[in-house]
Amino acid sequence: MSTRALPEASPTEATPVSLCAREPHVPADRLVAEMVPPPRFDSVRFDTYIPDPNQASQSEAVDVLSAFADGLGGAHASGSGRRRWFSRAPKKTAPAGPRGVYLDGGYGVGKTHLLASLWHATPAEPALKAFGTFVELTNLVGALGFQQTVQTLGGHRLLCIDEFELDDPGDTVLVSSLLSRLVEQGVALAATSNTLPGKLGEGRFAAVDFLREIQGLSAHFRPLRIDGEDYRHRGLPQAPAPYSEEAVTKAAYATPGASLDDFPHLLDHLARVHPSRYGALTDDLTAVCLTDVQPIPDQSTALRLVVLADRLYDREIPVLASGLPFDRLFSEEMLKGGYRKKYFRAISRLTALARDAKGLVDQ
């Protein structure tokens, strides 16, 4: 493990912060308020989605989702315009017919773009709409508790869940129970999903699997098939070669708002911070600089790193590193196991952020 001495900052340099020194205590209302499309999907709309002219289902999906958003205009009308966090929502009767859509399609067909566009198009103030990944939703339940999450989201018009994950049976049952309670209160649902383990030959997660796993909710979802080219054949992009420890350290001191941490120490620190707070861990950062990147020692640590990688990617924060390249983070056993989809996603996202960081060493 590195024992380097940090250089003294010159008058023109800013001392980088350390993620390991941060222990954010995030108010519960912030956790919910941050359930919006990530920055890279701030500006997407249905009219910015360019359907493949050879795939009629893509144009049909835009039409169906646009009509679905329009139909949510009268749900949960609020006379106050402002609602209190954690106030108990009045008991409501769910409207007849499907109150949810499941976007069923392969990689690279724009499911997240469409899901975020649905959130933007739904005629309700942001406080009455929620958008998050499956992991963020389970983290919210972990931070607030089940009943408090039901009370908090129960007054929403729409809940969008990106990357609904079925590789953890316990979490699947938890979220299924949560969604059942929200549907009872009239909340509309929309979801995309990842690929089931063992389904790699199909290249997509089939609607029948999704509806079977979300027990008791099938009648509330309308599967919406989105055909398109399967981009799996492209494989993972090659990770950029790591920089020297000296180059990473120099870049950290030359970049205002950058963080600088020893990678093994950061992994230890993540175990002491609830994953729901990883977003706050990166507040106000312009770059993340890591030294001594090493293979991930165990699966629990690996899953925590996946969450951090997602939050960094959502916020488009470049990552500069020394040590091993990011495509060697996870063992062969991990990449062949039940969580492989998450690990491949983390590698892909960290690789993209590493490429974004190239300019930091050229300044």
Side-chain angles (χ1 to χ4, degrees):
M1 188 174 296
S2 171
T3 57
R4 58 175 170 76
L6 296 180
E8 293 185 4
S10 72
T12 60
E13 292 180 327
T15 302
V17 301
S18 170
L19 295 178
C20 294
R22 292 184 166 188
E23 296 186 7
H25 297 282
V26 183
D29 56 352
R30 173 179 166 176
L31 292 177
V32 181
E34 289 185 340
M35 292 191 70
V36 297
R40 64 179 60 245
F41 291 101
D42 273 346
S43 61
V44 302
R45 299 295 187 272
F46 287 130
D47 59 7
T48 65
Y49 179 79
I50 309 300
D52 184 338
N54 298 316
Q55 302 290 349
S57 63
Q58 294 187 11
S59 296
E60 293 170 2
V62 172
D63 293 338
V64 171
L65 291 172
S66 295
F68 184 75
D70 292 341
L72 299 179
H76 291 347
S78 173
S80 64
R82 186 171 186 154
R83 56 194 277 278
R84 293 178 301 162
W85 294 112
F86 311 124
S87 59
R88 181 178 294 276
K91 185 68 175 178
K92 294 173 285 291
T93 301
R99 291 283 295 169
V101 290
Y102 162 63
L103 308 186
D104 177 30
Y107 307 120
V109 298
K111 297 191 301 296
T112 301
H113 183 136
L114 290 171
L115 190 67
S117 298
L118 172 63
W119 188 93
H120 288 298
T122 297
E125 59 183 283
L128 295 178
K129 302 181 288 186
F131 183 107
T133 64
F134 180 88
V135 171
E136 287 176 302
L137 188 59
T138 58
N139 287 341
L140 182 68
V141 177
L144 302 185
F146 184 86
Q147 294 299 334
Q148 193 67 73
T149 304
V150 171
Q151 293 176 21
T152 302
L153 297 180
H156 282 52
R157 293 189 192 176
L158 175 68
L159 171 61
C160 295
I161 309 170
D162 199 21
E163 300 174 351
F164 199 110
E165 299 181 351
L166 302 180
D167 44 21
D168 188 320
D171 282 347
T172 301
V173 172
L174 172 69
V175 173
S176 295
S177 300
L178 173 65
L179 298 186
S180 294
R181 294 285 297 277
L182 295 179
V183 166
E184 290 174 1
Q185 299 200 30
V187 181
L189 307 173
T192 71
S193 189
N194 66 11
T195 305
L196 274 174
K199 298 284 188 177
L200 293 182
E202 297 179 11
R204 46 179 283 275
F205 171 71
V208 64
D209 296 316
F210 176 80
L211 296 176
R212 181 182 64 245
E213 294 295 336
I214 53 172
Q215 304 167 17
L217 281 173
S218 299
H220 298 291
F221 277 90
R222 171 183 177 177
L224 186 59
R225 175 71 176 271
I226 306 173
D227 296 307
E229 181 183 358
D230 180 353
Y231 289 100
R232 284 183 308 111
H233 65 273
R234 293 182 178 179
L236 287 171
Q238 184 175 2
Y243 292 92
S244 68
E245 185 173 314
E246 291 73 20
V248 171
T249 302
K250 180 180 178 181
Y253 275 82
T255 306
S259 66
L260 177 63
D261 289 277
D262 175 76
F263 186 68
H265 288 165
L266 177 59
L267 295 182
D268 290 341
H269 185 62
L270 292 180
R272 297 188 289 272
V273 178
H274 193 278
S276 65
R277 300 173 180 172
Y278 286 5
L281 199 64
T282 67
D283 279 353
D284 304 319
L285 290 185
T286 59
V288 167
C289 298
L290 301 172
T291 60
D292 196 23
V293 172
Q294 300 179 9
I296 304 298
D298 57 76
Q299 189 150 267
S300 295
T301 303
L303 292 173
R304 287 191 288 268
L305 181 65
V306 167
V307 177
L308 179 63
D310 286 342
R311 300 293 80 77
L312 293 172
Y313 185 78
D314 288 346
R315 290 157 175 78
E316 300 179 308
I317 300 174
V319 178
L320 190 70
S322 70
L324 286 181
F326 288 130
D327 55 9
R328 294 171 60 187
L329 279 174
F330 305 102
S331 68
E332 285 297 318
E333 182 180 1
M334 290 179 182
L335 294 178
K336 292 179 180 178
Y339 294 110
R340 58 182 175 269
K341 176 73 162 56
K342 295 183 179 182
Y343 300 147
F344 281 124
R345 184 178 77 225
I347 292 172
S348 178
R349 291 184 167 184
L350 288 171
T351 294
L353 296 177
R355 290 181 171 175
D356 292 343
K358 183 179 184 300
L360 299 179
V361 295
D362 296 333
Q363 54 189 356

